[in-house]
Amino acid sequence: QVQLQESGPGLVKPSETLSLTCTVSDGSIRNYYWSWIRQPPGKGLEWIGHIYYTGSTNYNPSLKSRVTMSIDTSKNQFSLKLTSVTAADTALYYCVRENKPYGVDVWGQGTTVTVSS
Amino acid sequence: SYELSQPPSVSVSPGQTATITCSGDKLGNKYVCWYQQRPGQSPLLVIYQDAKRPSGIPERFSGSNSGNTATLTINGTQAMDEADYYCQAWDTSTVFGGGTKLTVL
């Protein structure tokens, strides 16, 4: 069964860039969409965007100006960069496999990112 | 941008039927998925393509989608079903509903 593991700093200063990486294990990164979803404390799920294994991307319009996703198929990894962060970006960040049209069928355990000076 | 609306909370007695709705413009023309999130856990896909259950999901979970409303139904609700439930659909981007807290009491 495919497993996902997020990695990256748990604390980011305001105005700086949040960077996370997700490692895909026990499965191929090819032929799927790979996404980032976040969940602020006590709130609901927010889709940040996805990247296809070919490198094609689609981002949440509300975050598009600050988001960049990339993928490294040789390392079975994909990454998220979110610029100019504020306290509103504090959340649990999940990397997931978005198996369109069958749903988000694999979730990482999530990593907490706090934006604070 | 496309929006999905869910009731913030639903309550049900053990053994009864729980119904959670998800509303969106012409939602019936899109595939809807449902996710269960228990406290402290990652979400779990319980329904995809409106009404299909992934392997391992109990038969008491079912879904439907028509018009502007998709519905998640849990028959014979158990205490273990108490969780947050999110609907999700695809438009020009991937969209989640705001979530519904299901209380079994």
Side-chain angles (χ1 to χ4, degrees):
Chain A
Q1 170 71 315
V2 173
Q3 296 186 65
L4 306 179
Q5 180 64 59
E6 305 90 351
S7 58
L11 180 65
V12 182
K13 290 181 168 54
S15 80
E16 295 190 345
T17 297
L18 178 160
S19 297
L20 295 174
T21 296
C22 183
T23 300
V24 181
S25 57
D26 299 324
S28 176
I29 204 167
R30 296 186 175 275
N31 300 314
Y32 290 102
Y33 291 91
W34 303 93
S35 308
W36 292 93
I37 292 169
R38 70 181 183 179
Q39 186 170 35
K43 296 188 177 181
L45 303 172
E46 181 180 31
W47 181 79
I48 300 171
H50 68 217
I51 186 165
Y52 196 48
Y53 79 102
T54 57
S56 171
T57 57
N58 187 18
Y59 302 140
N60 186 322
S62 69
L63 299 169
K64 187 173 184 177
S65 64
R66 299 194 292 130
V67 173
T68 302
M69 294 183 184
S70 59
I71 194 163
D72 187 335
T73 54
S74 67
K75 294 182 178 180
N76 257 25
Q77 292 180 331
F78 61 103
S79 299
L80 167 70
K81 289 190 185 299
L82 181 66
T83 62
S84 305
V85 297
T86 69
D89 295 309
T90 293
L92 181 60
Y93 284 76
Y94 293 102
C95 65
V96 305
R97 187 175 78 177
E98 192 172 340
N99 190 9
K100 296 175 71 171
Y102 308 107
V104 177
D105 61 352
V106 182
W107 295 71
Q109 65 183 20
T111 187
T112 297
V113 178
T114 302
V115 178
S116 175
S117 55
Chain B
S1 61
Y2 196 78
E3 294 185 355
L4 295 174
S5 296
Q6 298 181 235
S9 62
V10 168
S11 297
V12 64
S13 299
Q16 298 304 302
T17 297
T19 301
I20 300 173
T21 59
C22 175
S23 299
D25 186 47
K26 298 182 176 68
L27 185 58
N29 293 340
K30 307 178 190 300
Y31 277 138
V32 173
C33 300
W34 290 91
Y35 303 86
Q36 175 194 69
Q37 187 179 32
R38 295 188 175 117
Q41 296 186 13
S42 299
L44 173 71
L45 178 67
V46 295
I47 293 290
Y48 68 96
Q49 290 185 334
D50 298 338
K52 297 178 180 179
R53 282 178 291 103
S55 174
I57 301 302
E59 291 184 6
R60 63 180 182 274
F61 288 87
S62 63
S64 63
N65 183 20
S66 179
N68 294 322
T69 304
T71 302
L72 173 69
T73 302
I74 309 173
N75 290 306
T77 307
Q78 301 181 8
M80 66 186 299
D81 300 328
E82 187 164 286
D84 294 325
Y85 290 85
Y86 296 90
C87 60
Q88 174 256 311
W90 287 283
D91 188 68
T92 55
S93 59
T94 303
V95 181
F96 284 92
T100 298
K101 181 176 184 59
L102 177 66
T103 301
V104 183
L105 41 66

